[in-house]
Every structure is written in C-alpha cells, then in structure tokens.
Amino acid sequence: MAQATAPEVIVETEGKIGIVTLNRPQSLNALSIAVVDAVIEALGGFDRDPKINAMVLAGLPKSFAAGADIGEMKGVTGAAGAEKQLARHLSHWDKIGRLKKPIVAAVSGYALGGGCELAMACDMIVASETAVFGQPEVLIGVMAGAGGTQRLTKVVGKSLSMEMNLTGRRLTAREALSFGLVNRVVPVESFLSEAKKLAHSIAAQPPLAVQAAKASVLAAVDSKLSEGLVFERQSFFRLFETQDQKEGMKAFFEKRKPVWSGN
Ligand code: HXC
C-alpha cells in the first residue's frame, strides 16, 4: 500500500499550547510559499482559538529553516516582478510578528535568512547547542527582506548586524545567547521539550494579561520610550476590567493558586 507523504507542516496541540513544526527535511526546511502559507494558517488558527494560550514554532533537529526557498526566487526578475511574486510571501513574517498570543521558536541547526527572520518574528527563542543564526542573503546576491536588517539590529546592535548582513557571518547558539538573541541554549535532544515547557509556563498565566504584556513589550521595540510608556499604562489600566485581575488578587490574599477564566 502506498505510504502517505508526511506533511511539510505538522500542526498539533498539547493542553493549552499549539505546536507547528516545519517538516521539509530534504531541503533543510527551506521556506517555500506553500510552507509559509501553511504556517501562517496554523498559527493564525491557534491565535483565534480560545482553548490555546501560547504557541511553539519548531524546526527539525538538523535545521529550523535554511531560508526562503531559493528555487522559487531564482527566476524572479526586476523589482516589480519581485514585488508581484514575493510581497505576499514576505508579509507573512510581519503577520506572525503581529499575532496576539506568544510564540516560542524551537530552533536547532540552521536558522538562516528567512529562517532566522522567522525565529526573530516569534517572541522568544529556545536554541539547541547546534543552532546557527545568520543572514547570508548577500552571498546569493540579495539582502534580507523579512526583518533581518531590522529585528536583528534592534537585538544585537548595529555593528554585529552589519557584519552578519554584509558578510554572511553566522552566530553559534552560545554567541546568540550572549547577544540576547535567544532565551536559552539546551542540548539538541531537549530543544523541543524545553520550548514546549516555556510555552506551557506562559499558557498557565491569565491569557488577557499575557497578551497585553506581549503587546506592550513589542511596543517598546517599535516606539520611543514616552509613547511606549503611555501604551503600557493604558494596557495596565484595561486589565482591571478583567475577571482574572479580581481572581488573581483575591487568590493572593486567600493564599491559594488562582484559577484563570481567560475573561
Ligand atoms: C532551497 C535549499 C535551501 C534553500 C538548502 N537547500 N537551503 N533549497 N532553498 N534556502 C537544499 C539544497 O539545495 C540541498 O538540496 C539540500 O537542501 C541540502 O543542502 P546542502 O547545501 O547540500 O547542505 P549543506 O552542505 O549541509 O549546507 C547547508 C547550508 C546550505 C549551509 C544551510 O544549504 C545553504 O547555504 N543554504 C542556503 C542558505 C541561504 O542562503 N539562505 C537564505 C536564502 S534567501 P539537494 O537537492 O542538493 O539535496 C532568503 C531570503 C529571505 O532567505 C527573504 C524573506 C523570505
């Protein structure tokens, strides 16, 4: 009997977390249009699902993603042609960055080009000891197009981002940790379980407070301090409209664990 081919994107749930796994091993998880379409559909679905509080976006142990699919780009000619063929594709990285619920990237092996940009569009990164991060687009005659000159610079600073974007220099997992690009480095065998653990620990918190805090941290990246502080203050005040605020503070004085309703 013919074997069904494994899907290129695997979508699962585990308690209150949604897990999306890139599964295109023959091309080291190159991010084709079809793969990224499936990723955004799955993450968007989890973002709208009231039973899900946090997400994990995972790669395979050998590769998170070795970039956008070069095969799909090599025939593209002209700025207008590139925009026509790739604008919608690239917009998905921005969409991931705008989802309400937190996403933990589980990165092992290559996170290059669009792969590095995909990990950075998530909110946190758990890296295996073999993870390598880089923006090597210059080596194939182009440059980063989905946040690699922007998000990377905001995290690691101008000098290192310049070097990575202008020479294709890659960072090891330990270097990435030292520059604040990743949250932690763990053995390859446990990168996925550690990412899930982090997502579960977020999913156990009151979801409206988590989402408000995520939006507020992102506002810090995106705006000047005075504007970010105003945004933070408004989000803080709004949380006093929630039942979880009442429950959290009541439980504190009753010396018990709060039970979150998500309202
Ligand atoms: C298509 C890719 C690919 C990619 C690897 N493969 N990366 N196919 N697009 N980005 C394919 C190879 O063609 C090869 O297929 C198989 O995966 C294994 O790759 P090898 O090169 O044989 O493996 P290895 O020698 O171990 O080298 C691994 C590597 C190298 C260092 C990751 O593959 C590499 O440099 N890949 C390209 C990295 C890159 O330039 N990324 C940025 C892309 S541009 P076959 O059929 O030969 O087995 C980009 C723009 C982003 O991301 C803009 C936003 C979307």
Side-chain angles (χ1 to χ4, degrees):
M1 204 166 76
Q3 284 259 305
T5 27
E8 292 188 333
V9 173
I10 300 165
V11 183
E12 302 159 288
T13 59
E14 190 180 283
K16 292 179 183 170
I17 71 168
I19 305 147
V20 177
T21 305
L22 302 164
N23 183 39
R24 217 185 159 209
Q26 68 284 5
S27 61
L28 301 175
N29 277 348
L31 298 166
S32 65
I33 290 171
V35 160
V36 180
D37 279 355
V39 167
I40 190 71
E41 196 186 320
L43 292 176
F46 285 142
D47 208 47
R48 291 185 295 274
D49 183 345
K51 296 186 292 305
I52 296 298
N53 287 358
M55 301 175 254
V56 170
L57 177 58
L60 298 169
K62 192 170 172 200
S63 182
F64 177 72
D69 192 322
I70 300 169
E72 289 183 346
M73 291 185 291
K74 76 177 195 315
V76 175
T77 306
E83 191 170 347
K84 186 160 176 252
Q85 217 148 322
L86 298 172
R88 182 182 154 278
H89 189 40
L90 296 181
S91 73
H92 288 333
W93 275 253
D94 305 337
K95 273 188 208 149
I96 290 169
R98 285 196 302 267
L99 293 175
K100 292 193 308 276
K101 296 175 187 170
I103 313 175
V104 179
V107 177
S108 184
Y110 301 112
L112 299 177
C116 186
E117 292 167 313
L118 191 62
M120 292 190 294
C122 298
D123 302 300
M124 283 151 280
I125 302 176
V126 171
S128 90
E129 278 157 355
T130 65
V132 279
F133 297 85
Q135 298 295 154
E137 290 91 338
V138 71
L139 305 176
I140 54 166
V142 288
M143 62 174 278
T149 64
Q150 303 301 303
R151 287 198 177 92
L152 183 66
T153 306
K154 284 178 191 283
V155 178
V156 305
K158 176 184 146 190
S159 304
L160 183 58
S161 177
M162 282 285 186
E163 190 179 336
M164 292 173 71
N165 275 288
L166 275 43
T167 71
R169 176 183 160 188
R170 299 180 195 163
L171 298 184
T172 64
R174 295 274 158 209
E175 286 174 317
L177 182 67
S178 73
F179 293 115
L181 187 62
V182 308
N183 292 66
R184 63 197 63 156
V185 179
V186 299
V188 187
E189 307 78 61
S190 55
F191 80 99
L192 185 56
S193 58
E194 286 293 328
K196 286 184 192 172
K197 203 162 123 191
L198 180 56
H200 278 300
S201 73
I202 298 163
Q205 311 307 326
L208 294 177
V210 163
Q211 288 165 32
K214 165 175 167 163
S216 198
V217 173
L218 289 179
V221 179
D222 224 19
S223 57
K224 40 181 215 191
L225 181 61
S226 53
E227 289 165 3
L229 288 170
V230 170
F231 184 86
E232 179 189 72
R233 200 70 35 91
Q234 287 164 346
S235 305
F236 174 73
F237 290 151
R238 269 201 303 275
L239 287 173
F240 285 79
E241 290 172 6
T242 67
Q243 288 169 22
D244 282 343
Q245 173 263 331
K246 295 277 164 294
E247 165 64 7
M249 296 189 181
K250 190 162 172 271
F252 174 80
F253 285 113
E254 291 172 1
K255 300 191 189 302
R256 60 172 173 83
K257 256 185 98 172
V259 181
W260 306 123
S261 67
N263 298 305

